[in-house]
Amino acid sequence: MTNKKIRTRFAPSPTGYMHIGNLRTALYAYLFAKSQNGDFILRIEDTDRARYVADAVEFIENTLKLAKIYPDEGPHNGGDFGPYVQSERKEIYKKYAEELVEKNFAYYEESDNGVAIRQRMPKTGETTFFDVLHGNITIANEELEDQILLKSDGMPTYNFANVIDDHLMEITHIIRGAEFITSTPKHVLLYQYFGWELPTFIHLAPVMGKAEDGSVSKLSKRHGATSFGDLVDMGYLPEAITNYVALLGWNPKNTNQEIFSMDELINAFSLDGLSKSPAVFDYDKLNWMSGEYFKKMSDEDFASAAEKFLSLDENLSSKKVYLASLLKPRISKLNEIQDTIKFLMTMPNFDAELFINKRNKVNVEKSIEILTPAVEMLKAIEENEWTIENLNEKISAFTTNTGLKVGTVMWPLRIAISMQKVTPGGVTEILYLLGKKISLERMQQSLDNLKNL
């Protein structure tokens, strides 16, 4: 085994859905193969036709591409071991199933639907195999049922087809979920019946989800978005998702690094960094990691990534790169942006309570006292001078002239133009984004409402 070129595979069913656990399996198989200068193969296991979804193969390939996982061989990029879709390999499975019948390791079974072939299991003894994470695993043969290898319609079962394909495609390391541990003895017996060398097995611990009540169970839709596509649709960067998923059950050695490029993941990856304990999918940690990725982006790239999540008016569209610079440090996923900036496009309803701020010693009367001269000061600024630099200068001078603390002056100004306690950027930035006309209209309306209380 050690002299062979490392070859791993990802063999999903074409259901049109990429669960986080499946993505992690593909990622680990890819990282291990690439870290060993080996090959990573995509194989489509579509023998369960009831679950088949049209265009699912393209969906899987596009998802892997988005995650920067690039198969060396697969349905649409060729290779020497094809076809890479199981439904196109029926004659291969038939040949090997009939060989087992000839060797008395399998038998024909007639039914109303035709003739199937079942594997003949030993009734005594034990089957043992070694797993990289779990060590030697032994299961009594009497617990193994005679499984169907070839169905009456000529389609193989998963447990048969994957063994044939893994051998013929020269897969050296099988990385898959721990739920396949109980099926592995059946696979091992098939390898033995054919006289084939066993691959190395790595059964990954499951990815768990945490419910609102704190209970932990296998990650499912009740925990929120659980597919790669769902997370991308929520506005997480694919690179951030992949980075986070890599750390769900694997720890790099000799470093506390958490932000990795794909090349860095490949260089750092090793099987001895895998954990046999379940990993818990933590949205808070994903949010943090996603935010770190956003901070590293250029304003232009962030604006481009955010575009499909935004519906900006003409005024804001012309300032989207500047807006991006304000949003970048504050956003963990792009679908938060629209709610964060909706006050810029539509003034929220007037709320006099927002003007009251005990810490800054602001109340309605103090707000009127500050806003009245502030409106006149802003009116005096020419349209072509409505820039960040000039607004900063004018408001700074205005604050100094009032003799009040900065927070006391800024609070009523912020509320008057936004009706928000927290905004991306401060008063100057909001004034610039809104422009002179809208800023003054909002401030005057708020001032009038305060006076009419």
Side-chain angles (χ1 to χ4, degrees):
M1 186 72 71
T2 55
N3 294 326
K4 288 184 177 180
K5 184 175 187 178
I6 299 298
R7 286 173 62 83
T8 65
R9 49 75 163 175
F10 176 53
S13 298
T15 59
Y17 180 82
M18 183 76 80
H19 187 272
I20 287 300
N22 293 336
L23 176 69
R24 186 186 64 166
T25 298
L27 178 60
Y28 286 173
Y30 177 73
L31 292 176
F32 178 64
K34 296 296 106 180
S35 72
Q36 303 298 311
N37 296 314
D39 292 332
F40 170 72
I41 290 85
L42 172 64
R43 186 175 74 223
I44 304 300
E45 298 192 342
D46 64 340
T47 57
D48 185 353
R49 303 304 290 178
R51 298 179 64 205
Y52 181 82
V53 174
D55 300 324
V57 175
E58 289 75 13
F59 172 85
I60 291 167
E61 290 174 328
N62 290 336
T63 299
L64 292 178
K65 183 178 179 181
L66 203 57
K68 290 186 167 54
I69 299 172
Y70 303 112
D72 296 288
E73 303 167 23
H76 291 133
N77 56 326
D80 297 331
F81 300 88
Y84 293 90
V85 177
Q86 286 187 336
S87 60
E88 299 173 12
R89 299 171 61 86
K90 288 173 62 175
E91 289 304 312
I92 297 173
Y93 307 129
K94 181 173 184 255
K95 169 193 167 186
Y96 284 100
E98 290 175 345
E99 181 181 327
L100 289 176
V101 173
E102 291 174 9
K103 293 179 176 180
N104 203 34
F105 292 129
Y107 57 90
Y108 294 108
E109 180 182 69
E110 292 192 23
S111 67
D112 294 340
N113 296 323
V115 180
I117 295 179
R118 279 189 182 270
Q119 180 178 354
R120 194 186 304 277
M121 298 295 183
K123 303 304 180 188
T124 60
E126 299 173 330
T127 298
T128 299
F129 66 95
F130 177 77
D131 180 274
V132 169
L133 291 182
H134 305 278
N136 285 325
I137 297 174
T138 300
I139 294 182
N141 290 332
E142 63 184 22
E143 296 180 16
L144 306 176
E145 296 181 354
D146 288 7
Q147 66 176 347
I148 292 178
L149 303 178
L150 212 63
K151 293 178 279 191
S152 56
D153 62 359
M155 276 291 190
T157 58
Y158 163 81
N159 284 324
F160 183 55
N162 93 87
V163 169
I164 302 301
D165 291 343
D166 285 339
H167 173 73
L168 295 180
M169 294 181 182
E170 300 182 1
I171 303 302
T172 62
H173 292 71
I174 295 175
I175 300 176
R176 60 190 176 195
E179 65 269 23
F180 291 104
I181 286 179
T182 55
S183 301
T184 302
K186 302 175 185 178
H187 306 164
V188 170
L189 287 169
L190 286 171
Y191 278 98
Q192 292 174 351
Y193 292 164
F194 284 117
W196 295 340
E197 183 180 0
L198 284 176
T200 298
F201 295 105
I202 304 103
H203 289 94
L204 304 171
V207 179
M208 312 296 280
K210 184 181 289 186
E212 290 184 3
D213 62 3
S215 62
V216 174
S217 58
K218 191 166 183 180
L219 186 65
S220 65
K221 288 190 175 181
R222 75 187 187 94
H223 298 114
T226 59
S227 80
F228 182 80
D230 288 343
L231 293 173
V232 171
D233 289 342
M234 290 171 67
Y236 292 106
L237 288 178
E239 304 96 300
I241 302 170
T242 302
N243 189 161
Y244 177 67
V245 168
L247 300 176
L248 284 175
W250 169 75
N251 286 308
K253 299 296 183 182
N254 304 317
T255 179
N256 293 321
Q257 181 178 347
E258 292 186 284
I259 306 299
F260 290 86
S261 67
M262 183 59 83
D263 285 343
E264 289 173 329
L265 285 173
I266 290 170
N267 290 332
F269 191 82
S270 63
L271 295 179
D272 61 1
L274 293 174
S275 171
K276 63 181 180 180
S277 300
V280 177
F281 192 94
D282 184 344
Y283 280 96
D284 289 338
K285 186 62 178 287
L286 174 60
N287 288 341
W288 169 81
M289 185 168 286
S290 178
E292 293 300 300
Y293 270 81
F294 288 143
K295 289 172 188 174
K296 290 183 177 182
M297 295 175 75
S298 69
D299 296 342
E300 290 78 9
D301 286 345
F302 184 86
S304 177
E307 194 140 15
K308 71 175 182 177
F309 292 86
L310 292 173
S311 178
L312 301 177
D313 56 29
E314 184 177 349
N315 175 49
L316 286 176
S317 290
S318 65
K319 301 169 184 172
K320 66 181 180 181
V321 174
Y322 179 74
L323 179 59
S325 71
L326 301 179
L327 292 169
K328 261 193 336 181
R330 295 169 170 83
I331 295 295
S332 59
K333 52 185 183 293
L334 296 173
N335 71 351
E336 297 172 346
I337 293 177
Q338 199 65 40
D339 280 344
T340 303
I341 66 169
K342 64 182 179 181
F343 77 93
L344 290 170
M345 290 172 284
T346 303
M347 179 64 163
N349 292 332
F350 177 79
D351 183 354
E353 293 295 320
L354 292 175
F355 286 90
I356 300 172
N357 185 310
K358 292 181 180 178
R359 185 168 68 88
N360 286 317
K361 299 180 180 179
V362 179
N363 55 23
V364 169
E365 292 73 18
K366 178 61 76 173
S367 294
I368 295 172
E369 178 187 324
I370 292 169
L371 288 172
T372 301
V375 168
E376 297 305 315
M377 178 271 295
L378 291 171
K379 282 181 180 178
I381 300 175
E382 297 291 336
E383 190 77 47
N384 62 357
E385 294 179 345
W386 198 268
T387 63
I388 288 291
E389 295 77 9
N390 198 42
L391 286 168
N392 267 328
E393 183 181 322
K394 298 292 185 183
I395 291 176
S396 178
F398 174 79
T399 303
T400 300
N401 290 337
T402 64
L404 300 171
K405 291 183 178 180
V406 173
T408 303
V409 175
M410 293 302 178
W411 186 263
L413 290 179
R414 181 195 299 273
I415 301 301
I417 57 173
S418 70
M419 288 295 151
Q420 304 285 303
K421 291 183 177 181
V422 179
T423 56
V427 170
T428 302
E429 289 81 6
I430 302 307
L431 288 169
Y432 170 71
L433 287 168
L434 291 174
K436 180 178 180 179
K437 180 176 181 295
I438 295 174
S439 295
L440 286 172
E441 286 175 353
R442 289 188 175 194
M443 194 169 287
Q444 186 63 60
Q445 186 61 56
S446 293
L447 181 56
D448 291 344
N449 287 334
L450 288 171
K451 290 178 177 179
N452 291 329
L453 290 176

